[in-house]
Amino acid sequence: KAGVTQTPRYLIKTRGQQVTLSCSPISGHRSVSWYQQTPGQGLQFLFEYFSETQRNKGNFPGRFSGRQFSNSRSEMNVSTLELGDSALYLCASSSKMGGDNEKLFFGSGTQLSVL
Amino acid sequence: GENVEQHPSTLSVQEGDSAVIKCTYSDSASNYFPWYKQELGKGPQLIIDIRSNVGEKKDQRIAVTLNKTAKHFSLHITETQPEDSAVYFCAASNHLSSGSARQLTFGSGTQLTVLP
């Protein structure tokens, strides 16, 4: 079974631009969560989607947004990029089925650098 | 909200020795505590988890203990090997509405180095 797939693996953008990151969850998983990882702030929750609906949102500005498609694939968008948005963006999926629905499985992430 | 503290930030052990990483949490409503291992260039990998109705869980060389009263939990790795070298994160969560995934609050991580 393929794991969580994130594309692209690396991105370089300049301040003020916007960026879209993509995530394909494990087959059969309907929930997708996004986390930001930085050396200073560690791993922080961005938002979570289930059945195309945002179920939960962390404390990030409105420049960070996301969506989920009917096939459970998800995208996150960051508009008006700032230097502080440089980070590893991680996507995690989980299954609704049985007792394992609480386990989050992470992808390898997208490393975003804002210059 | 939840706050998770993790210690130590770095840990070096000799191959074959044991390693212990400790975490404390603030929200008494938290009921799920996973541990993740992150290798360079990869995403966090779930290695073991424990729910609040269990005090200890073991999986081969890895064990996790939970003390709900003191609000702390620990990861124990026995007979460490060089391939155990990585960053380890603890996390806590209390959110689980119907059909929704948990929101994890992570500790700051422990860089474990196993010396051959």
Side-chain angles (χ1 to χ4, degrees):
Chain A
K1 204 177 210 182
V4 177
T5 303
Q6 292 188 245
T7 57
R9 188 73 180 86
Y10 302 94
L11 264 179
I12 299 175
K13 293 286 186 179
T14 56
R15 281 179 298 174
Q17 288 187 310
Q18 73 168 11
V19 66
T20 300
L21 313 181
S22 180
C23 172
S24 292
I26 292 171
S27 177
H29 285 193
R30 295 173 61 187
S31 172
V32 173
S33 302
W34 289 88
Y35 286 78
Q36 182 196 63
Q37 185 176 25
T38 61
Q41 298 299 317
L43 282 147
Q44 293 186 293
F45 173 75
L46 280 157
F47 29 65
E48 184 252 340
Y49 287 86
F50 181 81
S51 292
E52 303 178 64
T53 302
Q54 186 180 91
R55 291 287 194 122
N56 205 355
K57 189 177 190 303
N59 296 324
F60 279 81
R63 301 185 296 107
F64 292 81
S65 63
R67 60 177 175 168
Q68 185 180 35
F69 303 95
S70 59
N71 62 358
S72 295
R73 190 178 68 85
S74 177
E75 290 181 346
M76 70 162 283
N77 184 78
V78 187
S79 62
T80 319
L81 284 166
E82 301 177 359
L83 294 179
D85 297 334
S86 295
L88 180 66
Y89 290 89
L90 293 160
C91 170
S93 75
S94 66
S95 169
K96 179 179 179 289
M97 303 302 293
D100 284 341
N101 64 346
E102 65 221 10
K103 297 183 189 292
L104 295 189
F105 299 92
F106 283 87
S108 293
T110 294
Q111 182 67 54
L112 172 65
S113 297
V114 182
L115 306 179
Chain B
E2 175 67 276
N3 182 52
V4 177
E5 294 192 357
Q6 183 173 346
H7 300 281
S9 57
T10 61
L11 179 60
S12 292
V13 299
Q14 289 294 136
E15 182 177 358
D17 287 350
S18 296
V20 179
I21 302 171
K22 298 182 179 182
C23 290
T24 60
Y25 61 99
S26 61
D27 189 346
S28 57
S30 289
N31 57 10
Y32 176 66
F33 307 92
W35 285 87
Y36 286 85
K37 174 185 181 183
Q38 187 173 26
E39 297 174 310
L40 201 60
K42 297 184 179 180
Q45 175 193 2
L46 179 67
I47 56 172
I48 196 168
D49 56 4
I50 191 169
R51 302 186 193 190
S52 60
N53 58 350
V54 176
E56 184 174 359
K57 184 177 179 181
K58 190 174 181 180
D59 182 4
Q60 298 182 335
R61 297 186 297 108
I62 295 174
V64 58
T65 59
L66 171 65
N67 183 326
K68 283 180 59 179
T69 303
K71 289 191 279 189
H72 66 70
F73 56 112
S74 301
L75 177 71
H76 304 253
I77 306 174
T78 59
E79 300 173 17
T80 53
Q81 302 166 4
E83 51 264 39
D84 294 330
S85 296
V87 179
Y88 290 81
F89 292 94
C90 62
S93 168
N94 69 346
H95 175 79
L96 190 61
S97 62
S98 175
S100 180
R102 291 182 179 271
Q103 173 183 339
L104 298 178
T105 300
F106 283 88
S108 54
T110 296
Q111 173 68 62
L112 173 64
T113 302
V114 179
L115 305 169

